[in-house]
């Protein structure tokens, strides 16, 4: 999973970048690696600390918070990409 998640983020970011901008695909690959790699690294660093400090009891709470944040960010991304309808 260490390699798969950043690689998947790079591919998805590069693929969606071509739909919205005229930037070259490699910009999307680099941005995708940085964003997904950063999220993965943060999660990999925080999870063991939560497990040790709460004897594993905090893991479901952290997982639920991750799910909520993911949902909110996904909805905001869709809304930000939506084009407003022209008034006629």
């Amino acid at each position: 999973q260490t390699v798969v998640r950043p690689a998947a983020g790079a591919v998805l970011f590069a693929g969606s970048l071509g739909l919205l901008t005229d930037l070259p695909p490699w910009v999307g690959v680099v941005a995708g690696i940085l964003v997904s790699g950063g999220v993965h690294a943060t999660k990999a660093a925080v999870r063991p600390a939560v497990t040790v400090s709460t004897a594993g009891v905090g893991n479901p709470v952290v997982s639920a918070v991750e799910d909520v944040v993911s949902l909110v960010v996904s909805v905001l991304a869709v809304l930000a990409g939506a084009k407003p309808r022209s008034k006629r």
Side-chain angles (χ1 to χ4, degrees):
Q1 291 182 354
T2 302
V3 176
V4 173
R5 288 180 180 169
V11 170
L12 290 171
F13 204 113
S16 65
L17 187 68
L19 299 173
L20 304 173
T21 69
D22 292 329
L23 293 173
W26 67 266
V27 173
V29 170
V30 171
I33 289 172
L34 291 175
V35 171
S36 60
V39 169
H40 180 67
T42 302
K43 194 172 175 181
V46 170
R47 277 302 183 109
V50 170
T51 301
V52 169
S53 64
T54 66
V57 176
N59 286 341
V61 175
V62 172
S63 180
V65 169
E66 289 172 353
D67 291 344
V68 169
V69 169
S70 177
L71 176 66
V72 169
V73 170
S74 297
V75 169
L76 289 174
V78 169
L79 293 176
K83 295 181 180 181
R85 294 183 183 189
S86 61
K87 296 180 182 179
R88 290 185 180 206

